[in-house]
Amino acid sequence: METLETIKKRRSVREFRPEPIPKETIERLVDAARFAATARNLQPWEFIAVTRKDTLKKIAELVENGRFIADAALCIAVYCRQTKYYLEDGCAATENILLAATEMGIASCWVAGDKKQYCNAVSALLGVPAEFNLVSLIALGYPVSPHAFKTAQKRSCREILHWEKF
């Protein structure tokens, strides 16, 4: 898949087949994340790959808009040390994972982390030191639907692009 095609096909998917994602594939996803843009090259991120069904279920119980995490093959928790631009850096890393997953035929859904009421509970469950902020939880798995990567309807470029002024 070409980069622009991958970007256009990336969608939030919340239904996954039960098959596991190989360890090497998980490592490739995180490898893509580490090449994300990062302010002053601080690379404040850390990633936790969760594949145990009991832990996925516990995360899903904590995260009100992420109940589907229980059915995912994998959840990658993206954490960042507190830096001036930790949120931007962590979001860039998250997007790289989403795009890499799409490229590999893996469905995904970004679940917000930063400043959510469940952050401390998820961090405690995963044994994360207090100096790290949960930026996102990414549910991943092979899609149930064969149409998971169908391009979503978006506003046209003509509708959203402004030249020189709004």
Side-chain angles (χ1 to χ4, degrees):
M1 217 182 281
E2 301 237 355
T3 303
L4 293 177
E5 182 182 347
T6 300
I7 290 169
K8 290 176 182 177
K9 291 192 180 293
R10 198 227 57 82
R11 303 183 67 142
S12 293
V13 176
R14 295 170 181 85
E15 294 181 359
F16 310 101
R17 297 192 316 253
E19 63 201 77
I21 296 173
K23 181 180 177 188
E24 298 77 27
T25 301
I26 297 168
E27 290 171 346
R28 287 179 62 207
L29 291 168
V30 173
D31 195 45
R34 73 185 183 91
F35 283 98
T38 171
R40 296 176 292 178
N41 199 30
L42 291 178
Q43 304 174 51
W45 42 61
E46 300 288 336
F47 306 92
I48 301 171
V50 178
T51 58
R52 289 181 47 169
K53 281 297 179 189
D54 60 327
T55 308
L56 290 167
K57 191 172 188 174
K58 288 176 186 173
I59 292 170
E61 290 168 359
L62 294 170
V63 180
E64 66 269 5
N65 291 323
R67 302 292 187 222
F68 52 88
I69 292 171
D71 299 320
L74 166 67
C75 179
I76 298 178
V78 179
Y79 280 87
C80 284
R81 285 186 314 281
Q82 181 68 47
T83 63
K84 185 173 182 180
Y85 298 107
Y86 79 90
L87 187 56
E88 291 85 346
D89 290 353
C91 287
T94 299
E95 183 69 9
N96 277 16
I97 291 170
L98 298 173
L99 293 174
T102 300
E103 174 78 21
M104 292 184 239
I106 298 169
S108 62
C109 188
W110 178 338
V111 179
D114 191 60
K115 301 175 189 76
K116 293 292 188 182
Q117 65 184 21
Y118 50 77
C119 288
N120 290 338
V122 170
S123 296
L125 175 67
L126 300 178
V128 178
E131 65 267 18
F132 289 91
N133 296 319
L134 177 62
V135 173
S136 63
L137 296 164
I138 309 168
L140 298 120
Y142 296 102
V144 169
S145 170
H147 305 292
F149 300 111
K150 182 181 174 189
T151 302
Q153 288 295 106
K154 299 290 183 176
R155 293 169 50 201
S156 73
C157 194
R158 187 174 294 130
E159 292 177 83
I160 62 171
L161 175 60
H162 307 274
W163 294 96
E164 310 305 333
K165 293 184 178 184
F166 196 93

